[in-house]
Amino acid sequence: MANKTTAEKLATIQKGYTLEGATIELGAAIVDGELHKEAQVRLPLAMMNRHGLVAGATGTGKTVTLHMMAEQLSVAGVPVFLADIKGDLSGLATAAAGSEKLKARTDSIGQAWAGKTFPVEFLALGGDGNGIPVRATITSFGPILLSRVMELNDTQESSLQLVFHFADKNNLELIDLKDLRAVIQFLTSDEGKDELEELGGLSKATAGVILRELVNLEAQGLERFFGEPEFDTAELLRTAPDGRGVITCLELPTLQTKPMLFSTFLMWLLADLFEDLPEAGDLDKPKLVFFLDEAHLLFNGASKAFLNAITTTVRLIRSKGVGIFFVTQTPKDVPADVLGQLANRIQHALRAFTPEDAKALKATVSTFPMSDYDLEETLTSAGIGEAVITVMNEKGAPTPVAHTRLRAPESVMGPSAEELIKSTVGGSALLAKYGTAVDNVSAYEKLTGKGAAPTGGAAPGEPPVPGTSGQPRSGQADVDAEARRIEEEILGRPSSRPAPAPDRGTGSDAPSRRAPEPAAPAGGGMVGDLAGALGGALGGGLKSMVRSLGTQLGRELLRGVFGTSSRRRR
């Protein structure tokens, strides 16, 4: 390697990145400290479903890199999904202004730059932000992903899967948190103890722990993320009228307070796509490129089942035309089984200030092919907006490693004006579809006999405020009362929750609570109860048919690799 001349090194890079099909232009190569705009570094569009990794220390330009790639994917007609953690990516909707400094940079790498806007759709989880509210039903989210959000251990996760199995088998729709809570309350009640025994591996104590965690989720206000209308992930695959791919930007303004929910929700989107999309084989361009920022949040403390499900999804979803790019600080943040499937690598600078940093640097260098660079030196000395790159060429082989000065985005590298975001959301066709929360009849109503809560309309042109659409939200006193009941009656131990204040209106010390009294099963468990109700309305002779139909429906609720089950797939 040391005997090669600069010209020979340059020729290797030029030959390695001379590609025939459509490409994403990444920048120009730096060889022996000199920038060479004649040596363009690019990524084949057809290989973007082989997944990738964008890594580097904080402040080295990872967000700008995915911003620049998203622009070019949109121009190529490829839809893009981005998680906007810092709020900077909303600038895709605003054309950037030129400057002398910017012109000097773009000229030096051979980039013909012009300020542009791009078609952007703004989403927000449960309406927590300015975007279109995105919700998922509990049954669609599935037990593995929900266990991740609730931070359950392996035993509790297995028990939660039994609860989902019971609900599926008995045609009890789990739409929101109160539905799951009602099912578990039924199973832990005197009326449901026979059903609980039939589930075998689910103990009353474990069910009580899960129920307590559900109450904690409600106390944190997470009920707004679960419900209907459920977001259809096919919305991520749209193109604009001019043929450009729509860039879907999911706003995450409170990531730091709910990191587990947000990272798991992104995995739900991928899992739902995986289950819905047909096999596509090798395409000229992907159907969707999915950038998963702060990827380390997915794997921190993950259960074995969760990690296995991620690995399976990443391995198989590429054949359905979806490319995933994990964005994180070092390759060590990604498990080896997943990292081995990421063929396209864009590695920004790393810092080696501590022994742990030095170890991470050596591990990163070991994941690259042999090259003409001293990668330890290059990775610690690379400037902002530079990266070490190797990708998969059109023949499926790795390209030469290239130290690259990256292209500049053509839209604003920062947030768009709030007025622009709100007007974009107000004019979106998705607002009428997802803007207003609804509360249909589901497990809670079936078990308690109560009607569905009313729902209100969304304000014209603006997303509704979560929790104000007519659905009653329990107060902290209700949450404390329910948690106290679980600890004392189900877990059999003194409660750590504060004691209730006396009810001065009635003179009673007993707290009022919204927890319903479960319906008692009639002959044959819950399916028998439902069949009896329907049979009574339709005629006694139809009872057996209805019972058989209920069992068949339960068996058809097939769940995917994460235990997910969308109504669209039933």
Side-chain angles (χ1 to χ4, degrees), residues 381-413:
S381 61
I384 297 173
E386 296 178 1
V388 173
I389 294 174
T390 180
V391 300
M392 182 177 285
N393 68 19
E394 293 161 322
K395 296 180 181 179
T399 58
V401 175
H403 179 196
T404 306
R405 183 162 296 168
L406 299 167
R407 290 167 65 95
E410 296 180 316
S411 54
V412 167
M413 292 184 286

PDB file of all heavy atoms in Angstrom, residues 381-413:
ATOM      1  N   SER A 381      -8.876  12.469  12.033  1.00  0.00           N
ATOM      2  CA  SER A 381      -8.503  13.790  11.523  1.00  0.00           C
ATOM      3  C   SER A 381      -9.495  14.345  10.512  1.00  0.00           C
ATOM      4  O   SER A 381      -9.377  15.499  10.086  1.00  0.00           O
ATOM      5  CB  SER A 381      -7.116  13.734  10.866  1.00  0.00           C
ATOM      6  OG  SER A 381      -7.113  12.839   9.763  1.00  0.00           O
ATOM      7  N   ALA A 382     -10.495  13.556  10.110  1.00  0.00           N
ATOM      8  CA  ALA A 382     -11.472  14.013   9.118  1.00  0.00           C
ATOM      9  C   ALA A 382     -12.241  15.211   9.642  1.00  0.00           C
ATOM     10  O   ALA A 382     -12.595  15.294  10.822  1.00  0.00           O
ATOM     11  CB  ALA A 382     -12.431  12.874   8.778  1.00  0.00           C
ATOM     12  N   GLY A 383     -12.489  16.160   8.757  1.00  0.00           N
ATOM     13  CA  GLY A 383     -13.210  17.376   9.144  1.00  0.00           C
ATOM     14  C   GLY A 383     -14.716  17.191   9.113  1.00  0.00           C
ATOM     15  O   GLY A 383     -15.239  16.157   8.663  1.00  0.00           O
ATOM     16  N   ILE A 384     -15.439  18.214   9.574  1.00  0.00           N
ATOM     17  CA  ILE A 384     -16.901  18.199   9.519  1.00  0.00           C
ATOM     18  C   ILE A 384     -17.318  18.198   8.052  1.00  0.00           C
ATOM     19  O   ILE A 384     -16.792  18.946   7.233  1.00  0.00           O
ATOM     20  CB  ILE A 384     -17.486  19.420  10.245  1.00  0.00           C
ATOM     21  CG1 ILE A 384     -17.122  19.374  11.725  1.00  0.00           C
ATOM     22  CG2 ILE A 384     -18.996  19.489  10.064  1.00  0.00           C
ATOM     23  CD1 ILE A 384     -17.503  20.623  12.483  1.00  0.00           C
ATOM     24  N   GLY A 385     -18.256  17.328   7.711  1.00  0.00           N
ATOM     25  CA  GLY A 385     -18.694  17.224   6.324  1.00  0.00           C
ATOM     26  C   GLY A 385     -17.822  16.317   5.486  1.00  0.00           C
ATOM     27  O   GLY A 385     -17.944  16.301   4.252  1.00  0.00           O
ATOM     28  N   GLU A 386     -16.964  15.540   6.137  1.00  0.00           N
ATOM     29  CA  GLU A 386     -16.152  14.543   5.450  1.00  0.00           C
ATOM     30  C   GLU A 386     -16.461  13.171   6.046  1.00  0.00           C
ATOM     31  O   GLU A 386     -16.884  13.059   7.212  1.00  0.00           O
ATOM     32  CB  GLU A 386     -14.667  14.844   5.600  1.00  0.00           C
ATOM     33  CG  GLU A 386     -14.231  16.148   4.947  1.00  0.00           C
ATOM     34  CD  GLU A 386     -12.750  16.452   5.150  1.00  0.00           C
ATOM     35  OE1 GLU A 386     -12.049  15.628   5.781  1.00  0.00           O
ATOM     36  OE2 GLU A 386     -12.302  17.520   4.687  1.00  0.00           O
ATOM     37  N   ALA A 387     -16.252  12.122   5.241  1.00  0.00           N
ATOM     38  CA  ALA A 387     -16.533  10.762   5.718  1.00  0.00           C
ATOM     39  C   ALA A 387     -15.700   9.765   4.939  1.00  0.00           C
ATOM     40  O   ALA A 387     -15.273  10.033   3.812  1.00  0.00           O
ATOM     41  CB  ALA A 387     -18.011  10.439   5.570  1.00  0.00           C
ATOM     42  N   VAL A 388     -15.468   8.618   5.567  1.00  0.00           N
ATOM     43  CA  VAL A 388     -14.830   7.487   4.902  1.00  0.00           C
ATOM     44  C   VAL A 388     -15.946   6.591   4.395  1.00  0.00           C
ATOM     45  O   VAL A 388     -16.831   6.176   5.162  1.00  0.00           O
ATOM     46  CB  VAL A 388     -13.898   6.728   5.862  1.00  0.00           C
ATOM     47  CG1 VAL A 388     -13.384   5.453   5.208  1.00  0.00           C
ATOM     48  CG2 VAL A 388     -12.726   7.629   6.267  1.00  0.00           C
ATOM     49  N   ILE A 389     -15.907   6.270   3.091  1.00  0.00           N
ATOM     50  CA  ILE A 389     -17.043   5.610   2.444  1.00  0.00           C
ATOM     51  C   ILE A 389     -16.609   4.341   1.724  1.00  0.00           C
ATOM     52  O   ILE A 389     -15.568   4.305   1.074  1.00  0.00           O
ATOM     53  CB  ILE A 389     -17.717   6.564   1.430  1.00  0.00           C
ATOM     54  CG1 ILE A 389     -18.349   7.751   2.169  1.00  0.00           C
ATOM     55  CG2 ILE A 389     -18.763   5.843   0.586  1.00  0.00           C
ATOM     56  CD1 ILE A 389     -18.905   8.820   1.251  1.00  0.00           C
ATOM     57  N   THR A 390     -17.419   3.308   1.844  1.00  0.00           N
ATOM     58  CA  THR A 390     -17.375   2.145   0.960  1.00  0.00           C
ATOM     59  C   THR A 390     -18.803   1.651   0.815  1.00  0.00           C
ATOM     60  O   THR A 390     -19.555   1.593   1.802  1.00  0.00           O
ATOM     61  CB  THR A 390     -16.448   1.026   1.479  1.00  0.00           C
ATOM     62  OG1 THR A 390     -16.471  -0.073   0.553  1.00  0.00           O
ATOM     63  CG2 THR A 390     -16.875   0.521   2.837  1.00  0.00           C
ATOM     64  N   VAL A 391     -19.216   1.340  -0.425  1.00  0.00           N
ATOM     65  CA  VAL A 391     -20.586   0.918  -0.682  1.00  0.00           C
ATOM     66  C   VAL A 391     -20.561  -0.343  -1.545  1.00  0.00           C
ATOM     67  O   VAL A 391     -19.501  -0.798  -1.980  1.00  0.00           O
ATOM     68  CB  VAL A 391     -21.401   2.033  -1.381  1.00  0.00           C
ATOM     69  CG1 VAL A 391     -21.459   3.286  -0.523  1.00  0.00           C
ATOM     70  CG2 VAL A 391     -20.815   2.352  -2.757  1.00  0.00           C
ATOM     71  N   MET A 392     -21.716  -0.892  -1.813  1.00  0.00           N
ATOM     72  CA  MET A 392     -21.815  -2.061  -2.681  1.00  0.00           C
ATOM     73  C   MET A 392     -22.015  -1.597  -4.123  1.00  0.00           C
ATOM     74  O   MET A 392     -22.930  -0.811  -4.406  1.00  0.00           O
ATOM     75  CB  MET A 392     -22.977  -2.949  -2.238  1.00  0.00           C
ATOM     76  CG  MET A 392     -23.128  -4.216  -3.068  1.00  0.00           C
ATOM     77  SD  MET A 392     -24.457  -5.290  -2.473  1.00  0.00           S
ATOM     78  CE  MET A 392     -23.689  -5.990  -1.008  1.00  0.00           C
ATOM     79  N   ASN A 393     -21.157  -2.067  -5.023  1.00  0.00           N
ATOM     80  CA  ASN A 393     -21.329  -1.677  -6.423  1.00  0.00           C
ATOM     81  C   ASN A 393     -22.412  -2.516  -7.090  1.00  0.00           C
ATOM     82  O   ASN A 393     -23.025  -3.391  -6.467  1.00  0.00           O
ATOM     83  CB  ASN A 393     -20.000  -1.739  -7.187  1.00  0.00           C
ATOM     84  CG  ASN A 393     -19.469  -3.170  -7.355  1.00  0.00           C
ATOM     85  OD1 ASN A 393     -20.212  -4.154  -7.233  1.00  0.00           O
ATOM     86  ND2 ASN A 393     -18.181  -3.290  -7.631  1.00  0.00           N
ATOM     87  N   GLU A 394     -22.638  -2.251  -8.376  1.00  0.00           N
ATOM     88  CA  GLU A 394     -23.753  -2.895  -9.076  1.00  0.00           C
ATOM     89  C   GLU A 394     -23.575  -4.400  -9.239  1.00  0.00           C
ATOM     90  O   GLU A 394     -24.524  -5.117  -9.515  1.00  0.00           O
ATOM     91  CB  GLU A 394     -23.931  -2.231 -10.444  1.00  0.00           C
ATOM     92  CG  GLU A 394     -24.399  -0.782 -10.322  1.00  0.00           C
ATOM     93  CD  GLU A 394     -24.140   0.026 -11.580  1.00  0.00           C
ATOM     94  OE1 GLU A 394     -23.084  -0.163 -12.213  1.00  0.00           O
ATOM     95  OE2 GLU A 394     -25.013   0.855 -11.920  1.00  0.00           O
ATOM     96  N   LYS A 395     -22.353  -4.882  -9.041  1.00  0.00           N
ATOM     97  CA  LYS A 395     -22.090  -6.315  -9.119  1.00  0.00           C
ATOM     98  C   LYS A 395     -22.118  -6.991  -7.749  1.00  0.00           C
ATOM     99  O   LYS A 395     -21.832  -8.176  -7.625  1.00  0.00           O
ATOM    100  CB  LYS A 395     -20.743  -6.550  -9.792  1.00  0.00           C
ATOM    101  CG  LYS A 395     -20.695  -6.075 -11.246  1.00  0.00           C
ATOM    102  CD  LYS A 395     -19.328  -6.331 -11.877  1.00  0.00           C
ATOM    103  CE  LYS A 395     -19.280  -5.845 -13.321  1.00  0.00           C
ATOM    104  NZ  LYS A 395     -17.949  -6.069 -13.937  1.00  0.00           N
ATOM    105  N   GLY A 396     -22.415  -6.208  -6.717  1.00  0.00           N
ATOM    106  CA  GLY A 396     -22.510  -6.776  -5.381  1.00  0.00           C
ATOM    107  C   GLY A 396     -21.196  -6.871  -4.641  1.00  0.00           C
ATOM    108  O   GLY A 396     -21.100  -7.552  -3.612  1.00  0.00           O
ATOM    109  N   ALA A 397     -20.145  -6.175  -5.130  1.00  0.00           N
ATOM    110  CA  ALA A 397     -18.831  -6.179  -4.474  1.00  0.00           C
ATOM    111  C   ALA A 397     -18.600  -4.827  -3.809  1.00  0.00           C
ATOM    112  O   ALA A 397     -19.128  -3.807  -4.260  1.00  0.00           O
ATOM    113  CB  ALA A 397     -17.728  -6.460  -5.493  1.00  0.00           C
ATOM    114  N   PRO A 398     -17.802  -4.785  -2.746  1.00  0.00           N
ATOM    115  CA  PRO A 398     -17.529  -3.494  -2.090  1.00  0.00           C
ATOM    116  C   PRO A 398     -16.662  -2.592  -2.956  1.00  0.00           C
ATOM    117  O   PRO A 398     -15.721  -3.056  -3.607  1.00  0.00           O
ATOM    118  CB  PRO A 398     -16.817  -3.891  -0.799  1.00  0.00           C
ATOM    119  CG  PRO A 398     -16.249  -5.244  -1.071  1.00  0.00           C
ATOM    120  CD  PRO A 398     -17.175  -5.909  -2.030  1.00  0.00           C
ATOM    121  N   THR A 399     -16.972  -1.311  -2.956  1.00  0.00           N
ATOM    122  CA  THR A 399     -16.158  -0.335  -3.668  1.00  0.00           C
ATOM    123  C   THR A 399     -14.918  -0.007  -2.846  1.00  0.00           C
ATOM    124  O   THR A 399     -14.870  -0.277  -1.637  1.00  0.00           O
ATOM    125  CB  THR A 399     -16.946   0.956  -3.917  1.00  0.00           C
ATOM    126  OG1 THR A 399     -17.369   1.481  -2.647  1.00  0.00           O
ATOM    127  CG2 THR A 399     -18.152   0.704  -4.801  1.00  0.00           C
ATOM    128  N   PRO A 400     -13.887   0.590  -3.466  1.00  0.00           N
ATOM    129  CA  PRO A 400     -12.700   0.982  -2.705  1.00  0.00           C
ATOM    130  C   PRO A 400     -13.056   1.994  -1.608  1.00  0.00           C
ATOM    131  O   PRO A 400     -13.967   2.813  -1.770  1.00  0.00           O
ATOM    132  CB  PRO A 400     -11.795   1.620  -3.762  1.00  0.00           C
ATOM    133  CG  PRO A 400     -12.279   1.102  -5.062  1.00  0.00           C
ATOM    134  CD  PRO A 400     -13.739   0.869  -4.908  1.00  0.00           C
ATOM    135  N   VAL A 401     -12.362   1.911  -0.503  1.00  0.00           N
ATOM    136  CA  VAL A 401     -12.561   2.886   0.575  1.00  0.00           C
ATOM    137  C   VAL A 401     -12.114   4.255   0.077  1.00  0.00           C
ATOM    138  O   VAL A 401     -11.042   4.390  -0.525  1.00  0.00           O
ATOM    139  CB  VAL A 401     -11.758   2.479   1.822  1.00  0.00           C
ATOM    140  CG1 VAL A 401     -11.869   3.551   2.904  1.00  0.00           C
ATOM    141  CG2 VAL A 401     -12.256   1.136   2.346  1.00  0.00           C
ATOM    142  N   ALA A 402     -12.955   5.269   0.313  1.00  0.00           N
ATOM    143  CA  ALA A 402     -12.635   6.618  -0.168  1.00  0.00           C
ATOM    144  C   ALA A 402     -12.922   7.643   0.921  1.00  0.00           C
ATOM    145  O   ALA A 402     -14.055   7.736   1.419  1.00  0.00           O
ATOM    146  CB  ALA A 402     -13.441   6.941  -1.419  1.00  0.00           C
ATOM    147  N   HIS A 403     -11.886   8.410   1.273  1.00  0.00           N
ATOM    148  CA  HIS A 403     -12.074   9.563   2.147  1.00  0.00           C
ATOM    149  C   HIS A 403     -12.729  10.644   1.294  1.00  0.00           C
ATOM    150  O   HIS A 403     -12.166  11.068   0.275  1.00  0.00           O
ATOM    151  CB  HIS A 403     -10.718  10.023   2.689  1.00  0.00           C
ATOM    152  CG  HIS A 403     -10.796  11.219   3.580  1.00  0.00           C
ATOM    153  ND1 HIS A 403      -9.684  11.973   3.903  1.00  0.00           N
ATOM    154  CD2 HIS A 403     -11.833  11.800   4.222  1.00  0.00           C
ATOM    155  CE1 HIS A 403     -10.042  12.952   4.701  1.00  0.00           C
ATOM    156  NE2 HIS A 403     -11.336  12.868   4.918  1.00  0.00           N
ATOM    157  N   THR A 404     -13.919  11.090   1.692  1.00  0.00           N
ATOM    158  CA  THR A 404     -14.759  11.896   0.801  1.00  0.00           C
ATOM    159  C   THR A 404     -15.192  13.199   1.457  1.00  0.00           C
ATOM    160  O   THR A 404     -15.581  13.209   2.631  1.00  0.00           O
ATOM    161  CB  THR A 404     -16.029  11.090   0.422  1.00  0.00           C
ATOM    162  OG1 THR A 404     -15.635   9.817  -0.109  1.00  0.00           O
ATOM    163  CG2 THR A 404     -16.873  11.833  -0.593  1.00  0.00           C
ATOM    164  N   ARG A 405     -15.114  14.277   0.668  1.00  0.00           N
ATOM    165  CA  ARG A 405     -15.757  15.528   1.087  1.00  0.00           C
ATOM    166  C   ARG A 405     -17.165  15.505   0.514  1.00  0.00           C
ATOM    167  O   ARG A 405     -17.356  15.414  -0.693  1.00  0.00           O
ATOM    168  CB  ARG A 405     -14.994  16.751   0.582  1.00  0.00           C
ATOM    169  CG  ARG A 405     -15.607  18.078   1.057  1.00  0.00           C
ATOM    170  CD  ARG A 405     -14.632  19.231   0.919  1.00  0.00           C
ATOM    171  NE  ARG A 405     -13.471  19.022   1.795  1.00  0.00           N
ATOM    172  CZ  ARG A 405     -12.353  19.735   1.717  1.00  0.00           C
ATOM    173  NH1 ARG A 405     -12.226  20.687   0.799  1.00  0.00           N
ATOM    174  NH2 ARG A 405     -11.355  19.500   2.550  1.00  0.00           N
ATOM    175  N   LEU A 406     -18.151  15.594   1.385  1.00  0.00           N
ATOM    176  CA  LEU A 406     -19.539  15.339   0.995  1.00  0.00           C
ATOM    177  C   LEU A 406     -20.211  16.558   0.373  1.00  0.00           C
ATOM    178  O   LEU A 406     -19.848  17.706   0.631  1.00  0.00           O
ATOM    179  CB  LEU A 406     -20.332  14.883   2.223  1.00  0.00           C
ATOM    180  CG  LEU A 406     -19.817  13.582   2.863  1.00  0.00           C
ATOM    181  CD1 LEU A 406     -20.443  13.375   4.223  1.00  0.00           C
ATOM    182  CD2 LEU A 406     -20.101  12.393   1.957  1.00  0.00           C
ATOM    183  N   ARG A 407     -21.220  16.259  -0.450  1.00  0.00           N
ATOM    184  CA  ARG A 407     -21.989  17.304  -1.106  1.00  0.00           C
ATOM    185  C   ARG A 407     -22.821  18.086  -0.099  1.00  0.00           C
ATOM    186  O   ARG A 407     -23.137  17.606   0.991  1.00  0.00           O
ATOM    187  CB  ARG A 407     -22.918  16.685  -2.158  1.00  0.00           C
ATOM    188  CG  ARG A 407     -22.176  16.129  -3.363  1.00  0.00           C
ATOM    189  CD  ARG A 407     -23.084  15.256  -4.198  1.00  0.00           C
ATOM    190  NE  ARG A 407     -24.180  16.002  -4.800  1.00  0.00           N
ATOM    191  CZ  ARG A 407     -24.161  16.507  -6.035  1.00  0.00           C
ATOM    192  NH1 ARG A 407     -23.081  16.369  -6.782  1.00  0.00           N
ATOM    193  NH2 ARG A 407     -25.220  17.140  -6.526  1.00  0.00           N
ATOM    194  N   ALA A 408     -23.202  19.303  -0.488  1.00  0.00           N
ATOM    195  CA  ALA A 408     -24.014  20.163   0.366  1.00  0.00           C
ATOM    196  C   ALA A 408     -25.489  20.004   0.015  1.00  0.00           C
ATOM    197  O   ALA A 408     -25.842  19.889  -1.164  1.00  0.00           O
ATOM    198  CB  ALA A 408     -23.599  21.616   0.185  1.00  0.00           C
ATOM    199  N   PRO A 409     -26.375  19.998   0.995  1.00  0.00           N
ATOM    200  CA  PRO A 409     -27.818  19.968   0.702  1.00  0.00           C
ATOM    201  C   PRO A 409     -28.242  21.230  -0.040  1.00  0.00           C
ATOM    202  O   PRO A 409     -27.609  22.291   0.075  1.00  0.00           O
ATOM    203  CB  PRO A 409     -28.464  19.901   2.087  1.00  0.00           C
ATOM    204  CG  PRO A 409     -27.397  19.376   2.992  1.00  0.00           C
ATOM    205  CD  PRO A 409     -26.115  19.917   2.446  1.00  0.00           C
ATOM    206  N   GLU A 410     -29.344  21.123  -0.782  1.00  0.00           N
ATOM    207  CA  GLU A 410     -29.862  22.270  -1.537  1.00  0.00           C
ATOM    208  C   GLU A 410     -31.063  22.913  -0.868  1.00  0.00           C
ATOM    209  O   GLU A 410     -31.600  23.899  -1.356  1.00  0.00           O
ATOM    210  CB  GLU A 410     -30.208  21.821  -2.959  1.00  0.00           C
ATOM    211  CG  GLU A 410     -28.965  21.356  -3.721  1.00  0.00           C
ATOM    212  CD  GLU A 410     -29.243  20.889  -5.132  1.00  0.00           C
ATOM    213  OE1 GLU A 410     -30.237  20.147  -5.320  1.00  0.00           O
ATOM    214  OE2 GLU A 410     -28.470  21.245  -6.038  1.00  0.00           O
ATOM    215  N   SER A 411     -31.503  22.349   0.236  1.00  0.00           N
ATOM    216  CA  SER A 411     -32.541  22.972   1.064  1.00  0.00           C
ATOM    217  C   SER A 411     -31.896  23.392   2.386  1.00  0.00           C
ATOM    218  O   SER A 411     -30.725  23.111   2.648  1.00  0.00           O
ATOM    219  CB  SER A 411     -33.705  22.005   1.287  1.00  0.00           C
ATOM    220  OG  SER A 411     -33.247  20.769   1.815  1.00  0.00           O
ATOM    221  N   VAL A 412     -32.668  24.049   3.211  1.00  0.00           N
ATOM    222  CA  VAL A 412     -32.128  24.656   4.435  1.00  0.00           C
ATOM    223  C   VAL A 412     -31.625  23.582   5.402  1.00  0.00           C
ATOM    224  O   VAL A 412     -32.339  22.621   5.706  1.00  0.00           O
ATOM    225  CB  VAL A 412     -33.210  25.518   5.114  1.00  0.00           C
ATOM    226  CG1 VAL A 412     -32.791  25.908   6.533  1.00  0.00           C
ATOM    227  CG2 VAL A 412     -33.475  26.767   4.285  1.00  0.00           C
ATOM    228  N   MET A 413     -30.392  23.756   5.882  1.00  0.00           N
ATOM    229  CA  MET A 413     -29.828  22.853   6.890  1.00  0.00           C
ATOM    230  C   MET A 413     -30.221  23.360   8.280  1.00  0.00           C
ATOM    231  O   MET A 413     -29.430  23.926   9.008  1.00  0.00           O
ATOM    232  CB  MET A 413     -28.305  22.774   6.736  1.00  0.00           C
ATOM    233  CG  MET A 413     -27.851  22.089   5.477  1.00  0.00           C
ATOM    234  SD  MET A 413     -26.046  21.895   5.374  1.00  0.00           S
ATOM    235  CE  MET A 413     -25.571  23.587   5.013  1.00  0.00           C
TER     236      MET A 413
END
